[in-house]
Amino acid sequence: KNEVEQSPQNLTAQEGEFITINCSYSVGISALHWLQQHPGGGIVSLFMLSSGKKKHGRLIATINIQEKHSSLHITASHPRDSAVYICAVGPEETSGSRLTFGEGTQLTVNP
Amino acid sequence: KAGVTQTPRYLIKTRGQQVTLSCSPISGHRSVSWYQQTPGQGLQFLFEYFSETQRNKGNFPGRFSGRQFSNSRSEMNVSTLELGDSALYLCASSFGGLGTFQTYEQYFGPGTRLTVT
């Protein structure tokens, strides 16, 4: 079993829909990251969180440390949100920037 | 601030050769991490350098090595290339710091796409 699991693997939505991507992890963590990867490879860090909830524009990330679960929500989705969304965790016992990644969720938003 | 830069962006090598990839972090960042991304294995952590010292290492063979210079620029080297080394190699920089058991927000470069034939 992977230490970080995401669901769903693939998601197709219509423009304007509310989207949720889930991430579960099995290890103690210092922080959880949500990343966005567009075709061509470039990765952008969307959120880093260790508790509660963060919001940036139409994106919301939540984490429940007790349940070892995080969600990424996209409100009013748009075709430009089409990308791979990756959940990654920094292990609790490690200093520095070592990350363990989920397999990613391919999101396609149709106009 | 300029972002993280990686050179070269694309590279084609032959089995058995060696390759060196370069990463220049965001000014002021002292930590550089390297990752390998393949269709089969996804993203995997290679190693992290902080203040010219390797601070963390992933589960890769010794053919994969790296170093960091005093200006925080980092290089990774892969010797005796194998077909399975074909991948997108990403580096990411962060402030780093000396905090215990902390993870810092990472800023990724565009990657170097390595093809081994």
Side-chain angles (χ1 to χ4, degrees):
Chain A
K1 190 175 189 289
N2 293 335
E3 290 182 346
V4 182
E5 299 210 336
Q6 287 183 235
S7 64
Q9 283 190 309
N10 293 283
L11 183 55
T12 301
Q14 288 299 121
E15 184 172 355
E17 286 185 358
F18 181 85
I19 288 164
T20 296
I21 299 170
N22 295 299
C23 175
S24 295
Y25 53 92
S26 57
V27 296
I29 67 169
S30 55
L32 182 142
H33 302 247
W34 281 102
L35 310 171
Q36 180 193 57
Q37 186 172 32
H38 280 283
I43 291 179
V44 175
S45 176
L46 299 174
F47 295 103
M48 184 182 75
L49 64 167
S50 54
S51 65
K53 175 180 174 178
K54 286 190 176 182
K55 184 176 189 292
H56 184 255
R58 295 179 296 106
L59 302 179
I60 303 167
T62 64
I63 188 168
N64 185 317
I65 296 295
Q66 286 72 30
E67 294 186 4
K68 291 188 165 64
H69 181 269
S70 176
S71 293
L72 176 68
H73 305 286
I74 304 176
T75 62
S77 59
H78 190 276
R80 66 174 173 266
D81 296 327
S82 298
V84 176
Y85 292 83
I86 303 168
C87 170
V89 300
E92 188 175 49
E93 74 282 3
T94 304
S95 299
S97 301
R98 179 182 187 135
L99 295 180
T100 301
F101 299 87
E103 293 183 352
T105 295
Q106 174 69 63
L107 171 65
T108 303
V109 181
N110 294 318
Chain B
K1 259 190 189 175
V4 179
T5 58
Q6 291 187 246
T7 57
R9 294 291 310 279
Y10 302 91
L11 203 49
I12 299 176
K13 290 285 189 179
T14 304
R15 261 184 310 175
Q17 288 185 315
Q18 75 161 15
V19 67
T20 299
L21 312 182
S22 179
C23 174
S24 292
I26 290 172
S27 177
H29 285 188
R30 293 189 292 166
S31 168
V32 174
S33 300
W34 288 91
Y35 301 93
Q36 181 197 64
Q37 186 176 36
T38 61
Q41 299 296 320
L43 272 161
Q44 293 182 284
F45 172 78
L46 279 156
F47 31 64
E48 180 209 4
Y49 285 86
F50 177 77
S51 291
E52 302 179 62
T53 301
Q54 187 179 86
R55 181 158 67 172
N56 286 292
K57 188 178 189 305
N59 298 323
F60 278 81
R63 299 185 298 107
F64 292 82
S65 63
R67 60 177 174 168
Q68 187 179 34
F69 302 95
S70 59
N71 62 357
S72 294
R73 189 178 71 84
S74 177
E75 290 181 344
M76 69 162 281
N77 184 78
V78 188
S79 62
T80 320
L81 284 165
E82 301 177 359
L83 295 178
D85 297 332
S86 294
L88 179 67
Y89 289 89
L90 292 151
C91 80
S93 78
S94 70
F95 175 73
L98 296 173
T100 309
F101 308 145
Q102 286 189 0
T103 302
Y104 297 87
E105 186 167 8
Q106 297 195 33
Y107 297 82
F108 287 80
T112 294
R113 189 164 296 278
L114 172 65
T115 302
V116 182
T117 62

